[in-house]
Amino acid sequence: MPETIINAINMALAEEMERDERVVVFGEDVAETGGVFRATEGLKDRFGGTRVVDTPLSEIAIAGGAVGLAVFGLRPVAEIQFSGFLPPAFDQLVTHASRMRWRTRGEWSAPLVVRTPYGAGIRALEHHSESLEGAYAHIPGLKVVIPSTPYDTKGLLKASIRDPDPVLFMEPKHVYRSIREDVPEDDYEVPIGEAAIRREGEDVTVISWGAMMQQTLEAVSKVDVDAEVIDLRTISPMDRDTIVQSVKKTGRAVVVHEAPRSGGWASEIIATINDEVLMYLEAPIERVTGFDIPVPLLSMEDYYIPHPPRIAEAIEHVVE
């Protein structure tokens, strides 16, 4: 039946907790109230207060606790309430979680998942709307996963929980409840590190992820251009092969992301294209991104987030 991204998260967590008693869920308000977005609603009633636990308001403690639990045999899924509050946990992710396998020469690993809603569009307060995926993708040993659909959300979250190494699972809260599609009740995984081609085309490759995938597909539907649309789904490791093969075919590319332009993940994608298929390009690559400012509050978000007219203009410019 049609489900939202929030429903898909809840389904994946419940199924994995049922399948594997090592899976534990914890974070701010995840037990008693089901989390600020209700992604964990009902889990405490079903699995008890020793496997679904409310924590103090301390992101570094949440991430550090996840590292300790993972090293000693559990499969922790920690929630950071908003990705804007991830920086205090950055130390644990960089210093310990991502390095555990390397530090111990493979003797130990840290199979944990840190879930966090990211991105703008819900009129939130300061530090509630950041898109800092590029910063975390820079960390060797840490996978960064960003779904854009309910089906992929369930499959990717299951794959993340089962992964032998740490995964940062960033959820596009702008589309938490605005997209519905059939999500099987069966057990399935969506592989980490594989992009999806959402639309095939011959004229231009348009690359995006997360909430911007919906904006991108809407823009493509409004232009008289045969565009191929790639949903990365995983920022790190990035599916370079799918990007390269698509741009070889189309000769043009547009990259769309919500994060600020300078140092955004579009830069890495463009560098990959230039390294691998520069001689196939028919036009310079375009970027459609947020601006190099903090995410503005309230209605000004609408000017900050790449919207379909901006994306459509970039697509038409590249093709022309």
Side-chain angles (χ1 to χ4, degrees):
M1 63 177 292
E3 304 284 359
T4 64
I5 288 177
I6 281 288
N7 296 145
I9 294 166
N10 191 275
M11 291 170 66
L13 291 173
E15 290 174 18
E16 289 303 292
M17 293 182 79
E18 187 71 43
R19 183 189 66 85
D20 187 347
E21 64 180 11
R22 298 175 300 167
V23 179
V24 294
V25 172
F26 59 95
E28 299 167 11
D29 301 322
V30 301
E32 295 299 330
T33 63
V36 67
F37 293 103
R38 304 299 184 262
T40 56
E41 192 168 36
L43 295 182
K44 182 186 176 185
D45 292 340
R46 182 171 174 181
F47 297 102
T50 60
R51 294 184 66 193
V52 185
V53 181
D54 285 333
T55 67
L57 275 64
S58 174
E59 285 76 19
I60 190 171
I62 294 169
V67 174
L69 292 170
V71 168
F72 285 97
L74 296 183
R75 292 277 175 156
V77 182
E79 179 182 303
I80 302 295
Q81 204 166 76
F82 290 89
S83 67
F85 302 136
L86 263 175
F90 193 75
D91 174 51
Q92 291 293 329
L93 294 175
V94 174
T95 308
H96 298 298
S98 64
R99 294 172 182 261
M100 191 61 64
R101 183 179 292 279
W102 178 86
R103 178 179 291 152
T104 63
R105 299 301 186 264
E107 184 176 347
W108 291 348
S109 65
L112 63 89
V113 177
V114 174
R115 293 181 40 249
T116 189
Y118 90 102
I122 65 166
R123 306 291 193 263
L125 303 174
E126 188 182 11
H127 296 307
H128 288 66
S129 303
E130 281 75 8
S131 297
L132 299 176
E133 63 270 26
Y136 298 97
H138 192 67
I139 303 171
L142 179 68
K143 297 179 174 70
V144 181
V145 175
I146 307 179
S148 70
T149 69
Y151 179 91
D152 281 358
T153 296
K154 179 181 171 181
L156 285 167
L157 184 51
K158 280 175 163 283
S160 298
I161 293 170
R162 299 174 188 182
D163 197 274
D165 291 294
V167 178
L168 178 61
F169 195 85
M170 303 184 73
E171 301 163 3
K173 64 178 179 287
H174 190 199
V175 291
Y176 259 161
R177 291 183 169 85
S178 62
I179 305 170
R180 287 183 177 271
E181 69 174 353
D182 289 338
V183 176
E185 295 183 1
D186 299 336
D187 181 38
Y188 68 92
E189 295 182 52
V190 173
I192 294 174
E194 292 186 13
I197 297 177
R198 299 295 182 198
R199 184 182 189 276
E200 294 190 355
E202 300 289 336
D203 295 339
V204 59
T205 299
V206 188
I207 304 160
S208 192
W209 55 89
M212 291 300 97
M213 182 50 51
Q214 299 305 312
Q215 307 276 33
T216 298
L217 290 170
E218 183 178 342
V220 165
S221 71
K222 294 180 178 179
V223 296
D224 188 21
V225 173
D226 188 19
E228 182 150 292
V229 178
I230 295 176
D231 182 350
L232 279 188
R233 301 197 293 195
T234 304
I235 300 300
S236 179
M238 184 170 71
D239 185 354
R240 287 173 165 81
D241 288 343
T242 295
I243 295 170
V244 166
Q245 293 306 314
S246 179
V247 177
K248 273 186 178 181
K249 177 176 65 173
T250 65
R252 295 172 172 84
V254 176
V255 187
V256 182
H257 67 60
E258 189 177 326
R261 183 181 182 90
S262 297
W265 200 244
S267 302
E268 180 65 25
I269 295 170
I270 293 169
T272 296
I273 294 170
N274 286 336
D275 286 345
E276 301 291 337
V277 287
L278 178 64
M279 301 307 294
Y280 289 82
L281 289 177
E282 302 289 343
I285 303 167
E286 288 271 350
R287 285 181 287 176
V288 187
T289 71
F291 304 107
D292 292 343
I293 59 172
V295 179
L297 300 179
L298 304 178
S299 63
M300 293 301 292
E301 282 183 326
D302 294 340
Y303 297 95
Y304 177 87
I305 297 172
H307 56 288
R310 280 177 61 196
I311 300 168
E313 182 180 5
I315 293 171
E316 291 172 336
H317 184 256
V318 164
V319 173
E320 290 169 0

